[in-house]
Amino acid sequence: MLIGLIRHGLTDWNAVGKIQGHSDIPLNEEGRRQARLLAERLKEEPYHWDGLITSSLSRAKETGEIIATALHLPLLEPDDRLRERAYGQVEGMTQAEREEKWGVDWHLLDLGQESDADLQLRGLAFMEAIWTENRHKNLLVVSHGGFLANLYKALYQEKFTERIGNLSLSVLQREDMDWAPLLYNCTKHLQEKSDCNLKS
């Protein structure tokens, strides 16, 4: 089984550095363009995809709808386990606003945000369920940067730590009991010069 993990396209809040969390912020036109570019790339690659599932937040759903339509893939029901981390009081705030109110270590305070541990458990539960229920299918999954970063940390510890880009693609293959990374955080469809070699 292959899973293609995708971060949703750009939003206006992404563009100005506001934390979104569970706030349901739509894609902007650049985000829609990014989704179309990834869809064109996926048409040309050898992977075969059987369906697509997204987070229940609109920025992920619309990203998935654009890709699924272009690739003629069925859309599965959105899954709440794929939602971004809940950020509590800091949602809607830029880095400067967060630091002005709570200092540079704001992320260490209890401001209603979901913990790394809880987010990782949610991500691993999704991966196990998707494997159990769809083990003979290859699925694309559209989620969120914070969620995906914590999923990769749960799966691979500190091996992959770079920021997850909008419309990045990572491909994981199930091998025995583990998920082997074939591609990580690749955005070559958005850049003229990028080879997306997987780190060893």
Side-chain angles (χ1 to χ4, degrees):
M1 180 183 188
L2 295 178
I3 287 189
L5 294 163
I6 299 164
R7 183 185 175 196
H8 64 79
L10 192 73
T11 71
D12 287 344
W13 278 23
N14 286 150
V16 297
K18 289 184 178 182
I19 284 187
Q20 294 178 124
H22 282 188
S23 299
D24 201 6
I25 310 304
L27 292 183
N28 61 22
E29 284 307 314
E30 175 61 15
R32 296 180 184 102
R33 186 186 76 87
Q34 292 173 337
R36 292 191 292 270
L37 288 171
L38 177 55
E40 290 305 310
R41 170 187 172 178
L42 291 170
K43 288 179 183 178
E44 304 300 321
E45 295 196 336
Y47 300 120
H48 167 78
W49 302 106
D50 299 299
L52 189 148
I53 185 170
T54 75
S55 146
S56 54
L57 293 169
S58 64
R59 56 191 182 270
K61 287 172 64 178
E62 186 177 4
T63 300
E65 288 163 1
I66 291 169
I67 295 169
T69 298
L71 299 180
H72 307 290
L73 294 178
L75 273 169
L76 286 72
E77 283 294 313
D79 194 316
D80 283 343
R81 289 173 296 189
L82 294 170
R83 288 164 72 94
E84 181 58 290
R85 180 205 300 266
Y87 273 100
Q89 297 179 52
V90 301
E91 292 191 14
M93 302 180 78
T94 65
Q95 180 173 337
E97 290 168 340
R98 299 190 296 269
E99 291 183 359
E100 181 180 354
K101 188 164 185 176
W102 294 296
V104 294
D105 292 327
W106 64 268
H107 58 284
L108 301 177
L109 303 175
D110 182 2
L111 300 171
Q113 66 269 46
E114 189 176 4
S115 71
D116 285 359
D118 286 346
L119 192 55
Q120 289 171 27
L121 284 173
R122 175 155 62 90
L124 292 173
F126 169 80
M127 294 294 283
E128 191 58 33
I130 209 72
W131 162 245
T132 301
E133 298 162 12
N134 300 275
R135 63 180 61 197
H136 300 299
K137 296 180 179 178
N138 296 335
L139 297 177
L140 293 169
V141 175
V142 182
S143 186
H144 304 265
F147 173 88
L148 291 172
N150 273 277
L151 175 61
Y152 300 142
K153 187 172 184 179
L155 291 171
Y156 309 117
Q157 286 72 53
E158 300 298 329
K159 183 176 181 181
F160 302 117
T161 57
E162 67 187 55
R163 180 182 176 277
I164 307 301
N166 286 104
L167 254 299
S168 67
L169 173 66
S170 300
V171 179
L172 312 184
Q173 183 174 35
R174 181 77 175 205
E175 294 182 355
D176 297 322
M177 298 298 292
D178 298 318
W179 291 99
L182 305 182
L183 186 71
Y184 172 69
N185 197 28
C186 182
T187 56
K188 72 177 183 180
H189 44 284
L190 306 180
Q191 306 165 16
E192 290 187 10
K193 294 182 179 179
S194 176
D195 58 12
C196 288
N197 289 329
L198 186 62
K199 298 175 182 176
S200 60

